[in-house]
Amino acid sequence: MIAILKSGVTESQKNNLLNWLKAQGLDPHVSEGKYQTIIGLIGDTSKIDIDLLCGLEIIESVTRISEPFKYANRRFHPTDTVVEVGIGENKVKIGGGHFAVIAGPCSVESEEQIIAVAKAVKASGATLLRGGAFKPRTSPYDFQGLHGEGLDLLRLARKETGLPIVTEIMSAAHLEMFHDVDLIQVGARNMQNFELLKELGRLKTPILLKRGLANTLKELLMSAEYIMSEGNENVILCERGIRSYDQAYTRNVLDLAAVPMLKELSHLPIIVDPSHATGKSRLVRPMAMAATAAGCDGLIIEVHNDPVHALCDGAQSLTPELFDDVFKKIMSVRAILNEN
Ligand code: PEP
Ligand code: MN
């Protein structure tokens, strides 16, 4: 349920209302817009007498929200959320017109590799560095990541370049190791690991939540809700392609309609991963441009200094030179969007 306040309502009138709502067992969530104050009501609203609420002098209107996602719902928070990642002068904003390009290898493999890639993508214009230290691999015999050492190498790359770091968590048991990670990624395979989502909801660190391999947009938003309802509202959604029938040529099917649809449904930033969506480096540029044109708030792109010898996802990884070209193309699409 949402209640819109009339303009000119005083702080004390608003606080009286909030206290009354809390006394009814509800959790009111206030969103102060430029022109409107909206109070989202979370909890069992069935006991609330809508006519009584509508009749209050300070209430403009009351509407029931049929969607099961509340905190993530744009109706609760009409303006775009801007998520801030990193600290100090290297802080990066994502959402609400702030566009970010996250780039780096699928997995951190060595100091030489991650530093070289970090420096190269930074020189091209990327504003965040990705790199997996814990890798969710289909086969237990494949490279699983460097774990703690991988996280340390990311920290080193951050120190060298200033780029905030983005890396995937696979288990709540690793939370302590992730204490200074700037943006914690929940991978597609863990999108519905609800216990992990709840733990991440108790942090303040921004969370990059990737859509599951076969999950609906509603399920993605419900997973965001798990994080947000625990108190962490710094969630960035990521479309990374879904399973469909044609796996002979593309790894997944990139659902670009998810971008404008999620923007309509939610205020959270949405980024696109053209690397995992296609599985082929030559498809990354067109899909990165298309995703940008579709209105996403950023991209996450795999870049490797030696893709042929990459320990993970070499076929979809761009060389730094190709990334430089792709970055320029993304910026040219952004420029066209900004002109219109
Ligand atoms: C990744 O980003 O490296 C990754 C494993 O992605 P996804 O969870 O989307 O497959
Ligand atoms: Mn990968």
Side-chain angles (χ1 to χ4, degrees):
M1 188 183 275
I2 56 167
I4 299 178
L5 301 190
K6 284 189 181 150
S7 58
V9 168
T10 64
E11 272 302 295
S12 78
Q13 284 176 310
K14 190 176 75 189
N15 288 335
N16 284 342
L17 176 67
L18 292 176
N19 290 337
W20 180 76
L21 291 166
K22 283 181 197 155
Q24 307 300 306
L26 297 175
D27 179 16
H29 180 265
V30 183
S31 169
E32 305 266 9
K34 210 168 169 187
Y35 306 106
Q36 270 184 335
T37 299
I38 293 180
I39 303 182
L41 299 175
I42 291 159
D44 180 7
T45 52
S46 61
K47 294 188 205 95
I48 296 283
D49 180 346
I50 285 212
D51 294 332
L52 179 89
L53 204 54
C54 283
L56 295 179
E57 200 194 327
I58 62 169
I59 299 281
E60 172 92 40
S61 65
V62 178
T63 330
R64 285 205 185 272
I65 303 257
S66 49
E67 293 92 1
F69 45 94
K70 313 288 177 195
Y71 286 100
N73 202 310
R74 189 174 280 282
R75 294 217 265 165
F76 266 47
H77 191 290
T79 55
D80 289 344
T81 281
V82 180
V83 174
E84 296 194 343
V85 181
I87 45 171
E89 61 193 31
N90 297 315
K91 195 183 278 179
V92 175
K93 290 182 178 172
I94 308 180
H98 302 276
F99 190 88
V101 178
I102 306 171
C106 180
S107 42
V108 180
E109 297 172 8
S110 66
E111 178 175 336
E112 178 266 324
Q113 175 236 24
I114 194 68
I115 301 289
V117 176
K119 285 185 173 164
V121 298
K122 179 171 178 165
S124 296
T127 44
L128 297 111
L129 175 68
R130 65 152 287 149
F134 290 86
K135 292 306 305 175
R137 304 304 300 276
T138 302
S139 166
Y141 309 117
D142 286 340
F143 177 59
Q144 303 285 309
L146 295 180
H147 298 175
E149 190 194 338
L151 293 175
D152 284 340
L153 291 176
L154 282 169
R155 291 183 180 105
L156 190 66
R158 173 173 60 190
K159 202 162 159 232
E160 287 270 326
T161 60
L163 294 177
I165 53 176
V166 186
T167 193
E168 176 169 353
I169 194 163
M170 298 217 304
S171 162
H174 300 151
L175 272 174
E176 184 47 41
M177 296 170 86
F178 280 67
H179 68 97
D180 64 343
V181 167
D182 300 297
L183 177 57
I184 299 180
Q185 174 174 320
V186 175
R189 289 152 193 84
N190 271 312
M191 189 203 89
Q192 287 190 315
N193 181 340
F194 301 119
E195 289 307 315
L196 176 62
L197 300 179
K198 282 193 260 180
E199 291 280 355
L200 296 172
R202 291 175 202 128
L203 308 180
K204 289 202 164 44
T205 314
I207 308 297
L208 175 60
L209 179 64
K210 297 187 92 174
R211 181 178 181 182
L213 276 64
N215 286 112
T216 63
L217 297 183
K218 192 190 269 183
E219 287 164 345
L220 173 62
L221 290 167
M222 291 313 292
S223 289
E225 197 74 13
Y226 263 96
I227 302 169
M228 300 174 86
S229 60
E230 291 292 331
N232 188 352
E233 296 187 31
N234 298 310
V235 178
I236 299 167
L237 305 171
C238 179
E239 164 58 38
R240 45 78 74 207
I242 46 173
R243 276 280 167 92
S244 188
Y245 3 146
D246 191 351
Q247 281 163 27
Y249 298 108
T250 56
R251 185 173 176 179
N252 291 294
V253 172
L254 179 53
D255 178 8
L256 279 186
V259 175
M261 194 67 244
L262 286 169
K263 290 230 155 263
E264 197 176 301
L265 294 169
S266 177
H267 52 90
L268 296 174
I270 162 124
I271 70 165
V272 171
D273 176 346
S275 308
H276 291 90
T278 61
K280 287 187 165 68
S281 58
R282 65 182 183 279
L283 300 184
V284 169
R285 181 173 63 188
M287 289 301 98
M289 293 171 76
T292 307
C296 65
D297 299 293
L299 294 154
I300 178 164
I301 298 178
E302 287 190 341
V303 180
H304 197 288
N305 53 347
D306 185 9
V308 178
H309 296 106
L311 297 181
C312 184
D313 286 349
Q316 67 194 33
S317 299
L318 301 178
T319 58
E321 295 71 29
L322 275 174
F323 175 71
D324 193 64
D325 172 55
V326 172
F327 189 90
K328 289 192 175 90
K329 295 287 186 303
I330 295 165
M331 289 305 131
S332 59
V333 176
R334 287 281 303 159
I336 294 169
L337 290 182
N338 289 336
E339 276 168 21
N340 292 289

PDB file of all heavy atoms in Angstrom, residues 106 130 135-136 168 185-189 210-211 213 240 251 273 276 300 302 313, ligand 1:
ATOM      1  N   CYS A 106      37.299 -12.647 -16.140  1.00  0.00           N
ATOM      2  CA  CYS A 106      36.329 -13.525 -15.489  1.00  0.00           C
ATOM      3  C   CYS A 106      36.894 -13.872 -14.116  1.00  0.00           C
ATOM      4  O   CYS A 106      36.248 -13.655 -13.102  1.00  0.00           O
ATOM      5  CB  CYS A 106      36.126 -14.785 -16.330  1.00  0.00           C
ATOM      6  SG  CYS A 106      34.949 -15.894 -15.588  1.00  0.00           S
ATOM      7  N   ARG A 130      36.319  -5.633 -12.357  1.00  0.00           N
ATOM      8  CA  ARG A 130      35.742  -6.917 -11.950  1.00  0.00           C
ATOM      9  C   ARG A 130      36.828  -7.997 -11.954  1.00  0.00           C
ATOM     10  O   ARG A 130      37.870  -7.850 -12.600  1.00  0.00           O
ATOM     11  CB  ARG A 130      34.585  -7.358 -12.838  1.00  0.00           C
ATOM     12  CG  ARG A 130      34.939  -7.655 -14.283  1.00  0.00           C
ATOM     13  CD  ARG A 130      33.985  -8.701 -14.890  1.00  0.00           C
ATOM     14  NE  ARG A 130      34.259 -10.039 -14.376  1.00  0.00           N
ATOM     15  CZ  ARG A 130      33.357 -10.993 -14.205  1.00  0.00           C
ATOM     16  NH1 ARG A 130      32.108 -10.775 -14.526  1.00  0.00           N
ATOM     17  NH2 ARG A 130      33.700 -12.181 -13.729  1.00  0.00           N
ATOM     18  N   LYS A 135      34.904 -18.873  -8.047  1.00  0.00           N
ATOM     19  CA  LYS A 135      34.222 -19.068  -9.322  1.00  0.00           C
ATOM     20  C   LYS A 135      33.196 -20.202  -9.264  1.00  0.00           C
ATOM     21  O   LYS A 135      33.527 -21.323  -8.877  1.00  0.00           O
ATOM     22  CB  LYS A 135      35.247 -19.415 -10.417  1.00  0.00           C
ATOM     23  CG  LYS A 135      36.201 -18.300 -10.790  1.00  0.00           C
ATOM     24  CD  LYS A 135      35.539 -16.996 -11.191  1.00  0.00           C
ATOM     25  CE  LYS A 135      34.523 -17.128 -12.308  1.00  0.00           C
ATOM     26  NZ  LYS A 135      33.827 -15.810 -12.556  1.00  0.00           N
ATOM     27  N   PRO A 136      31.959 -19.912  -9.674  1.00  0.00           N
ATOM     28  CA  PRO A 136      30.941 -20.974  -9.725  1.00  0.00           C
ATOM     29  C   PRO A 136      31.084 -21.755 -11.037  1.00  0.00           C
ATOM     30  O   PRO A 136      30.529 -21.352 -12.052  1.00  0.00           O
ATOM     31  CB  PRO A 136      29.637 -20.173  -9.695  1.00  0.00           C
ATOM     32  CG  PRO A 136      29.986 -18.859 -10.333  1.00  0.00           C
ATOM     33  CD  PRO A 136      31.451 -18.614 -10.142  1.00  0.00           C
ATOM     34  N   GLU A 168      32.534 -11.761  -6.941  1.00  0.00           N
ATOM     35  CA  GLU A 168      31.381 -12.609  -6.568  1.00  0.00           C
ATOM     36  C   GLU A 168      31.579 -13.344  -5.248  1.00  0.00           C
ATOM     37  O   GLU A 168      32.624 -13.942  -5.012  1.00  0.00           O
ATOM     38  CB  GLU A 168      31.131 -13.626  -7.700  1.00  0.00           C
ATOM     39  CG  GLU A 168      30.020 -14.601  -7.370  1.00  0.00           C
ATOM     40  CD  GLU A 168      29.556 -15.443  -8.548  1.00  0.00           C
ATOM     41  OE1 GLU A 168      29.990 -15.199  -9.692  1.00  0.00           O
ATOM     42  OE2 GLU A 168      28.745 -16.356  -8.314  1.00  0.00           O
ATOM     43  N   GLN A 185      29.160  -9.097  -5.788  1.00  0.00           N
ATOM     44  CA  GLN A 185      28.303  -9.692  -6.820  1.00  0.00           C
ATOM     45  C   GLN A 185      27.658 -10.980  -6.313  1.00  0.00           C
ATOM     46  O   GLN A 185      28.314 -11.818  -5.704  1.00  0.00           O
ATOM     47  CB  GLN A 185      29.175  -9.992  -8.043  1.00  0.00           C
ATOM     48  CG  GLN A 185      28.464 -10.754  -9.142  1.00  0.00           C
ATOM     49  CD  GLN A 185      29.331 -10.906 -10.386  1.00  0.00           C
ATOM     50  OE1 GLN A 185      30.040  -9.977 -10.781  1.00  0.00           O
ATOM     51  NE2 GLN A 185      29.289 -12.061 -11.013  1.00  0.00           N
ATOM     52  N   VAL A 186      26.352 -11.101  -6.591  1.00  0.00           N
ATOM     53  CA  VAL A 186      25.669 -12.384  -6.395  1.00  0.00           C
ATOM     54  C   VAL A 186      25.478 -12.921  -7.804  1.00  0.00           C
ATOM     55  O   VAL A 186      24.812 -12.291  -8.628  1.00  0.00           O
ATOM     56  CB  VAL A 186      24.308 -12.207  -5.689  1.00  0.00           C
ATOM     57  CG1 VAL A 186      23.569 -13.540  -5.598  1.00  0.00           C
ATOM     58  CG2 VAL A 186      24.499 -11.618  -4.304  1.00  0.00           C
ATOM     59  N   GLY A 187      26.086 -14.043  -8.098  1.00  0.00           N
ATOM     60  CA  GLY A 187      26.044 -14.589  -9.450  1.00  0.00           C
ATOM     61  C   GLY A 187      24.696 -15.214  -9.768  1.00  0.00           C
ATOM     62  O   GLY A 187      23.848 -15.428  -8.883  1.00  0.00           O
ATOM     63  N   ALA A 188      24.525 -15.494 -11.058  1.00  0.00           N
ATOM     64  CA  ALA A 188      23.254 -16.049 -11.542  1.00  0.00           C
ATOM     65  C   ALA A 188      22.844 -17.296 -10.752  1.00  0.00           C
ATOM     66  O   ALA A 188      21.674 -17.486 -10.428  1.00  0.00           O
ATOM     67  CB  ALA A 188      23.400 -16.388 -13.017  1.00  0.00           C
ATOM     68  N   ARG A 189      23.826 -18.129 -10.452  1.00  0.00           N
ATOM     69  CA  ARG A 189      23.505 -19.403  -9.778  1.00  0.00           C
ATOM     70  C   ARG A 189      23.059 -19.217  -8.334  1.00  0.00           C
ATOM     71  O   ARG A 189      22.492 -20.121  -7.740  1.00  0.00           O
ATOM     72  CB  ARG A 189      24.701 -20.346  -9.871  1.00  0.00           C
ATOM     73  CG  ARG A 189      24.891 -20.854 -11.285  1.00  0.00           C
ATOM     74  CD  ARG A 189      26.322 -21.209 -11.607  1.00  0.00           C
ATOM     75  NE  ARG A 189      26.476 -21.392 -13.052  1.00  0.00           N
ATOM     76  CZ  ARG A 189      26.685 -20.393 -13.910  1.00  0.00           C
ATOM     77  NH1 ARG A 189      26.746 -19.146 -13.495  1.00  0.00           N
ATOM     78  NH2 ARG A 189      26.804 -20.634 -15.194  1.00  0.00           N
ATOM     79  N   LYS A 210      22.761 -10.593 -10.051  1.00  0.00           N
ATOM     80  CA  LYS A 210      22.586 -11.042 -11.436  1.00  0.00           C
ATOM     81  C   LYS A 210      21.346 -11.926 -11.562  1.00  0.00           C
ATOM     82  O   LYS A 210      21.024 -12.687 -10.645  1.00  0.00           O
ATOM     83  CB  LYS A 210      23.841 -11.784 -11.900  1.00  0.00           C
ATOM     84  CG  LYS A 210      25.087 -10.876 -11.906  1.00  0.00           C
ATOM     85  CD  LYS A 210      26.303 -11.531 -12.510  1.00  0.00           C
ATOM     86  CE  LYS A 210      26.399 -11.242 -13.992  1.00  0.00           C
ATOM     87  NZ  LYS A 210      27.665 -11.773 -14.571  1.00  0.00           N
ATOM     88  N   ARG A 211      20.689 -11.787 -12.691  1.00  0.00           N
ATOM     89  CA  ARG A 211      19.482 -12.595 -12.945  1.00  0.00           C
ATOM     90  C   ARG A 211      19.878 -14.067 -13.123  1.00  0.00           C
ATOM     91  O   ARG A 211      20.850 -14.373 -13.814  1.00  0.00           O
ATOM     92  CB  ARG A 211      18.810 -12.080 -14.213  1.00  0.00           C
ATOM     93  CG  ARG A 211      17.535 -12.819 -14.564  1.00  0.00           C
ATOM     94  CD  ARG A 211      16.926 -12.202 -15.801  1.00  0.00           C
ATOM     95  NE  ARG A 211      15.689 -12.844 -16.201  1.00  0.00           N
ATOM     96  CZ  ARG A 211      14.997 -12.508 -17.272  1.00  0.00           C
ATOM     97  NH1 ARG A 211      15.429 -11.517 -18.048  1.00  0.00           N
ATOM     98  NH2 ARG A 211      13.877 -13.128 -17.586  1.00  0.00           N
ATOM     99  N   LEU A 213      19.758 -18.033 -14.333  1.00  0.00           N
ATOM    100  CA  LEU A 213      19.744 -18.604 -15.681  1.00  0.00           C
ATOM    101  C   LEU A 213      18.334 -18.812 -16.234  1.00  0.00           C
ATOM    102  O   LEU A 213      18.121 -18.760 -17.442  1.00  0.00           O
ATOM    103  CB  LEU A 213      20.453 -19.970 -15.668  1.00  0.00           C
ATOM    104  CG  LEU A 213      21.967 -19.998 -15.780  1.00  0.00           C
ATOM    105  CD1 LEU A 213      22.630 -19.332 -14.596  1.00  0.00           C
ATOM    106  CD2 LEU A 213      22.456 -21.418 -15.906  1.00  0.00           C
ATOM    107  N   ARG A 240      21.902 -10.801 -17.588  1.00  0.00           N
ATOM    108  CA  ARG A 240      23.097 -11.468 -18.125  1.00  0.00           C
ATOM    109  C   ARG A 240      22.738 -12.602 -19.082  1.00  0.00           C
ATOM    110  O   ARG A 240      23.545 -13.490 -19.343  1.00  0.00           O
ATOM    111  CB  ARG A 240      24.002 -11.944 -16.999  1.00  0.00           C
ATOM    112  CG  ARG A 240      23.307 -12.633 -15.862  1.00  0.00           C
ATOM    113  CD  ARG A 240      22.911 -14.071 -16.116  1.00  0.00           C
ATOM    114  NE  ARG A 240      24.043 -14.962 -16.100  1.00  0.00           N
ATOM    115  CZ  ARG A 240      24.097 -16.107 -16.756  1.00  0.00           C
ATOM    116  NH1 ARG A 240      23.055 -16.523 -17.463  1.00  0.00           N
ATOM    117  NH2 ARG A 240      25.171 -16.869 -16.703  1.00  0.00           N
ATOM    118  N   ARG A 251      25.666 -18.371 -25.939  1.00  0.00           N
ATOM    119  CA  ARG A 251      25.648 -19.062 -24.647  1.00  0.00           C
ATOM    120  C   ARG A 251      24.285 -18.923 -23.967  1.00  0.00           C
ATOM    121  O   ARG A 251      23.792 -19.833 -23.328  1.00  0.00           O
ATOM    122  CB  ARG A 251      26.757 -18.440 -23.782  1.00  0.00           C
ATOM    123  CG  ARG A 251      26.974 -19.098 -22.464  1.00  0.00           C
ATOM    124  CD  ARG A 251      28.203 -18.504 -21.767  1.00  0.00           C
ATOM    125  NE  ARG A 251      28.362 -19.076 -20.448  1.00  0.00           N
ATOM    126  CZ  ARG A 251      29.356 -18.769 -19.624  1.00  0.00           C
ATOM    127  NH1 ARG A 251      30.293 -17.913 -19.995  1.00  0.00           N
ATOM    128  NH2 ARG A 251      29.437 -19.321 -18.438  1.00  0.00           N
ATOM    129  N   ASP A 273      25.227  -7.491 -18.860  1.00  0.00           N
ATOM    130  CA  ASP A 273      26.468  -8.254 -19.036  1.00  0.00           C
ATOM    131  C   ASP A 273      26.429  -8.914 -20.422  1.00  0.00           C
ATOM    132  O   ASP A 273      25.859  -9.990 -20.594  1.00  0.00           O
ATOM    133  CB  ASP A 273      26.546  -9.316 -17.928  1.00  0.00           C
ATOM    134  CG  ASP A 273      27.741 -10.240 -18.064  1.00  0.00           C
ATOM    135  OD1 ASP A 273      28.373 -10.259 -19.148  1.00  0.00           O
ATOM    136  OD2 ASP A 273      28.042 -10.958 -17.103  1.00  0.00           O
ATOM    137  N   HIS A 276      28.620 -12.712 -20.639  1.00  0.00           N
ATOM    138  CA  HIS A 276      27.977 -13.991 -20.304  1.00  0.00           C
ATOM    139  C   HIS A 276      26.721 -14.214 -21.135  1.00  0.00           C
ATOM    140  O   HIS A 276      26.318 -15.345 -21.378  1.00  0.00           O
ATOM    141  CB  HIS A 276      27.669 -14.073 -18.802  1.00  0.00           C
ATOM    142  CG  HIS A 276      28.920 -14.187 -17.987  1.00  0.00           C
ATOM    143  ND1 HIS A 276      29.580 -13.091 -17.519  1.00  0.00           N
ATOM    144  CD2 HIS A 276      29.650 -15.260 -17.615  1.00  0.00           C
ATOM    145  CE1 HIS A 276      30.679 -13.484 -16.878  1.00  0.00           C
ATOM    146  NE2 HIS A 276      30.741 -14.791 -16.925  1.00  0.00           N
ATOM    147  N   ILE A 300      28.794  -4.656 -17.619  1.00  0.00           N
ATOM    148  CA  ILE A 300      29.897  -5.397 -17.008  1.00  0.00           C
ATOM    149  C   ILE A 300      30.463  -6.284 -18.115  1.00  0.00           C
ATOM    150  O   ILE A 300      29.730  -7.069 -18.728  1.00  0.00           O
ATOM    151  CB  ILE A 300      29.458  -6.163 -15.730  1.00  0.00           C
ATOM    152  CG1 ILE A 300      30.628  -6.957 -15.136  1.00  0.00           C
ATOM    153  CG2 ILE A 300      28.247  -7.059 -15.954  1.00  0.00           C
ATOM    154  CD1 ILE A 300      30.391  -7.419 -13.687  1.00  0.00           C
ATOM    155  N   GLU A 302      33.776  -8.676 -19.716  1.00  0.00           N
ATOM    156  CA  GLU A 302      34.991  -9.435 -19.412  1.00  0.00           C
ATOM    157  C   GLU A 302      36.139  -9.061 -20.359  1.00  0.00           C
ATOM    158  O   GLU A 302      35.971  -9.053 -21.586  1.00  0.00           O
ATOM    159  CB  GLU A 302      34.696 -10.937 -19.452  1.00  0.00           C
ATOM    160  CG  GLU A 302      33.884 -11.337 -18.219  1.00  0.00           C
ATOM    161  CD  GLU A 302      33.715 -12.824 -17.993  1.00  0.00           C
ATOM    162  OE1 GLU A 302      33.905 -13.611 -18.939  1.00  0.00           O
ATOM    163  OE2 GLU A 302      33.355 -13.195 -16.858  1.00  0.00           O
ATOM    164  N   ASP A 313      36.336 -18.605 -19.269  1.00  0.00           N
ATOM    165  CA  ASP A 313      35.601 -17.705 -20.171  1.00  0.00           C
ATOM    166  C   ASP A 313      36.458 -16.910 -21.164  1.00  0.00           C
ATOM    167  O   ASP A 313      36.117 -15.761 -21.512  1.00  0.00           O
ATOM    168  CB  ASP A 313      34.733 -16.729 -19.350  1.00  0.00           C
ATOM    169  CG  ASP A 313      33.501 -17.414 -18.757  1.00  0.00           C
ATOM    170  OD1 ASP A 313      33.210 -18.567 -19.155  1.00  0.00           O
ATOM    171  OD2 ASP A 313      32.842 -16.793 -17.903  1.00  0.00           O
TER     172      ASP A 313
HETATM  173  C1  PEP B   1      30.659 -13.940 -13.662  1.00  0.00           C
HETATM  174  O1  PEP B   1      30.273 -12.764 -13.674  1.00  0.00           O
HETATM  175  O2  PEP B   1      31.841 -14.251 -13.726  1.00  0.00           O
HETATM  176  C2  PEP B   1      29.652 -15.004 -13.638  1.00  0.00           C
HETATM  177  C3  PEP B   1      29.953 -16.218 -13.229  1.00  0.00           C
HETATM  178  O3  PEP B   1      28.464 -14.583 -14.090  1.00  0.00           O
HETATM  179  P1  PEP B   1      27.026 -15.288 -14.021  1.00  0.00           P
HETATM  180  O4  PEP B   1      26.753 -15.535 -12.567  1.00  0.00           O
HETATM  181  O5  PEP B   1      26.137 -14.282 -14.651  1.00  0.00           O
HETATM  182  O6  PEP B   1      27.136 -16.567 -14.806  1.00  0.00           O
END
